[in-house]
Structure formats: structure tokens, C-alpha cells
Amino acid sequence: MAGIRLPPEDSDVSQAARQVAAVDLISDDDRSIAADSWSIKSDYGSTLDDEQRQADAAEALSAAAYRAASDYSSDKEEPDAEAVSSMLGFQSYWDATYADELANFREHGHAGEIWFGPDVMENVASWTKNLCLEISQHNLPNHVDSTNCVPVGQPDKDLSGWSVLDVGTGNGLLLQELSKQGFSDLTGTDYSEGAIDLARNLAHREGLPNIKFLVDDVLETKVDRKFQLVVDKGTLDAIGLHPDGPIKRIMYWDSISGLVASGGLLVITSCNSTKDELIQEVEVFNQRRSGPSDSAVDTILQYVDHIRTYPTFMFGGSVGSRVATVAFQRK
């Protein structure tokens, strides 16, 4: 669920947050709050009325595979193994959503929603630009091997040499923001034809014909090109909400790692996983791709950095953030 998550250093706090969402404890007020958390509205216009959003979220919460609050133990270190599923994990949901948003665009000119909000999108774009410049100039943290850094000419003056792929692009507004930052070789993919149609219309309206959009499912991608920068804002979250989320997340890492060029970057923004959880998932992916557990781990994706400027809050004595953006480098 697109709710508030906390760092995993205190698993009790994380579990307590999940307890709030337990079906048998959800009040009408809780359902209203949860409904709002499915999507953060923006100034670009909303396409579904509040009552419908609340009804959709309430239905999803009722169907979610949460365990009862009493099943959680305060000293339990491992998170609950049952994945949370919802309608947001199905393509049919997104096809209907973007059909609605496309109709709204044609009637009112609305661009649709910006998932996580415009501030997060702008933050991701500017932070990613600066990270790409650091990569090009080999100004990386000590734990990152710079020998495979992507050569990009004169990055201090021009980012046009970076090829960029946005998986699950939706309305394509993140690519528009990256274009403003100086990137020009831009491609967006989404498995929803309605999303691609909307994204193309919006890019054309903004005078950005250089942005290419393709209908493609990242889990079964037909894209035969590798990119120096691959970005994901919410796609992994949606994949994890499918009833087969754990299996599909494995497919995700296998597929997306193959889309990143050697030395390139993968930047993931999530509201369902913390920074440490994403790093741990990548470590599991590296281990799985390395073969038997007794063999040396072949690092395919390596943690580089994460955004540290998101607003934080206190919960149960721990500091948490509503969104996490983490960058990994492809070896």
C-alpha cells in the first residue's frame, strides 16, 4: 500500500505501522486516510473524485492479505512474509485509470496526477542530474568503484549524452522534468496503452518531440537497448501489490538489471520500501544471480547513494520518511 514506511532499523516500529492497516482495525476515518494515501494529488489535476478513491482504497484494504494485529510479535525481527495485494497490482486498473485521465486531458487539458507529488518529482530529477554529473567526473563515494563509470563527454556542460529510460512512465511527466534538467535522449515505457497515449499527447503539448514512448511491460520487456540511466518512480511498488508480487519482484530485478548499461545508474523511488529494504533486495538479487550460496557474490548492482533531503517525521521514537529514492550502479 502506498503508505508511510519507516527505516527497518527498528522492526517493531515498522510492524506497528502495518498493524494500523489491519483489516479488522480499520475505522471509517482510517479508510478515508488510507484512500488519500493511494495517490498524492497535484496541481496538475485529479481525474477521480474523492468518494471514488476512498471506495477503491477501502475495497483494496478489505481484500489485502494482512494478518491480524494479534499475530505480530513485538520481538519479531523478520517482516511478515505475506505480501500485501491490491487492485493497483493489476494492469486492468491502470488501463482504466489512464483511459479516464486521457479523457480528462482531452476535455479539460489536465495532465493527470504526479505520483508522490510534484516536489518529489522535481527533487528526483535534480538529484539524479547531479548524481549523473558526479558519475561522469568520477566523484563517487569511497564504497563505489569508479572504473566502470559512464563516459559522457563534457558532463558539466551537457547531459545530452546520457540515454534515459523511465519504466512505468505513466503520463511521462518525470521525463519532461528530466528534459528540463538537460537530458535529451529520453524514452518512456509503460504496459498501458492509455498511459503511453497520454504521455505522447502531453509531451507534444510541451514541445518535447524528442521524448520517445513505447508500450512495453518491464517484466517481459521487448526493449533491446541498454540505457545509461534507468529510472523507476512507483513501478516496483505497483508490481509488489500484485497477488504474485514476490515472484514478480524477482522478475523485475532480472529484467531491469538487463536494461542498465555497464557503469550506468538505476534510480528507484518508492513509497512502499525504505532505502535499507531496497538495498537488501538488491543484495538478495546479487546473491541469487551468483549461484550457490558458497560461491563468491558477483555484484551486479551496487548501492551508490540516496536522497537525504525528504521531509522526515517521528514515530515511536524513530525517524522515518514517506518516500525513498535510491541509486544503484550496474557493474
Side-chain angles (χ1 to χ4, degrees):
M1 185 177 72
I4 296 173
R5 298 296 303 274
L6 295 170
E9 284 79 6
D10 188 346
S11 59
D12 296 347
V13 175
S14 179
Q15 293 162 7
R18 292 188 178 99
Q19 293 176 23
V20 174
V23 175
D24 58 348
L25 297 181
I26 295 176
S27 65
D28 291 340
D29 289 340
D30 291 333
R31 292 180 187 278
S32 177
I33 294 171
D36 291 339
S37 75
W38 286 115
S39 177
I40 300 168
K41 294 182 175 62
S42 74
D43 294 336
Y44 287 76
S46 176
T47 58
L48 296 176
D49 57 66
D50 291 342
E51 291 183 359
Q52 183 60 49
R53 290 190 182 285
Q54 293 179 13
D56 289 348
E59 179 182 348
L61 285 171
S62 298
Y66 283 112
R67 296 177 64 180
S70 60
D71 289 344
Y72 289 90
S73 172
S74 61
D75 61 353
K76 185 177 180 181
E77 295 182 358
E78 295 297 325
D80 183 69
E82 295 186 29
V84 179
S85 62
S86 84
M87 66 184 75
L88 276 75
F90 291 93
Q91 181 177 346
S92 57
Y93 172 87
W94 297 108
D95 285 341
T97 294
Y98 285 112
D100 179 69
E101 295 209 345
L102 186 59
N104 203 323
F105 166 76
R106 289 169 175 164
E107 183 175 356
H108 304 291
H110 290 169
E113 298 182 29
I114 299 179
W115 291 90
F116 310 135
D119 291 342
V120 169
M121 180 180 71
E122 293 166 6
N123 197 353
V124 168
S126 61
W127 178 85
T128 299
K129 168 192 173 180
N130 291 332
L131 183 59
C132 288
L133 296 179
E134 292 175 3
I135 287 280
S136 299
Q137 298 166 359
H138 293 206
N139 296 327
L140 294 172
N142 292 332
H143 68 276
V144 179
D145 182 4
S146 63
T147 56
N148 291 325
C149 288
V150 178
V152 192
Q154 295 180 326
D156 56 326
K157 298 180 180 179
D158 188 10
L159 283 168
S160 61
W162 282 77
S163 55
V164 181
L165 173 66
D166 179 19
V167 296
T169 192
N171 53 23
L173 294 183
L174 176 57
L175 288 173
Q176 291 191 26
E177 193 65 30
L178 289 169
S179 178
K180 295 176 185 177
Q181 296 293 333
F183 296 94
S184 61
D185 185 354
L186 300 162
T187 302
T189 62
D190 201 294
Y191 65 4
S192 173
E193 293 187 15
I196 294 302
D197 196 1
L198 175 62
R200 285 172 176 160
N201 277 277
L202 292 172
H204 177 75
R205 185 176 73 175
E206 296 300 318
L208 297 170
N210 60 299
I211 304 179
K212 299 178 288 292
F213 293 102
L214 305 170
V215 177
D216 186 70
D217 184 348
V218 67
L219 300 186
E220 299 176 354
T221 183
K222 301 299 188 296
V223 176
D224 58 0
R225 178 186 178 189
K226 295 183 184 295
F227 296 81
Q228 294 161 321
L229 171 63
V230 177
V231 294
D232 169 354
K233 184 165 69 68
T235 298
L236 180 59
D237 288 344
I239 288 172
L241 290 171
H242 189 277
D244 295 328
I247 295 175
K248 289 183 176 292
R249 289 177 81 102
I250 292 175
M251 295 171 61
Y252 169 90
W253 291 109
D254 286 341
S255 180
I256 204 164
S257 63
L259 293 170
V260 186
S262 177
L265 290 176
L266 169 62
V267 177
I268 298 178
T269 298
S270 171
C271 66
N272 278 0
S273 299
T274 65
K275 180 258 295 184
D276 288 341
E277 287 171 335
L278 288 172
I279 292 175
Q280 182 181 29
E281 196 164 355
V282 165
E283 290 174 349
V284 171
F285 161 73
N286 287 334
Q287 179 67 62
R288 180 170 55 81
R289 290 291 295 268
S290 298
S293 58
D294 58 347
S295 62
V297 176
D298 182 14
T299 300
I300 299 171
L301 293 171
Q302 180 182 15
Y303 164 74
V304 176
D305 203 358
H306 67 282
I307 290 183
R308 307 166 191 270
T309 57
Y310 288 135
T312 58
F313 60 91
M314 293 292 297
F315 184 87
S318 294
V319 178
S321 178
R322 185 172 56 88
V323 180
T325 298
V326 186
F328 301 93
Q329 185 181 37
R330 178 71 157 87
K331 294 302 181 181

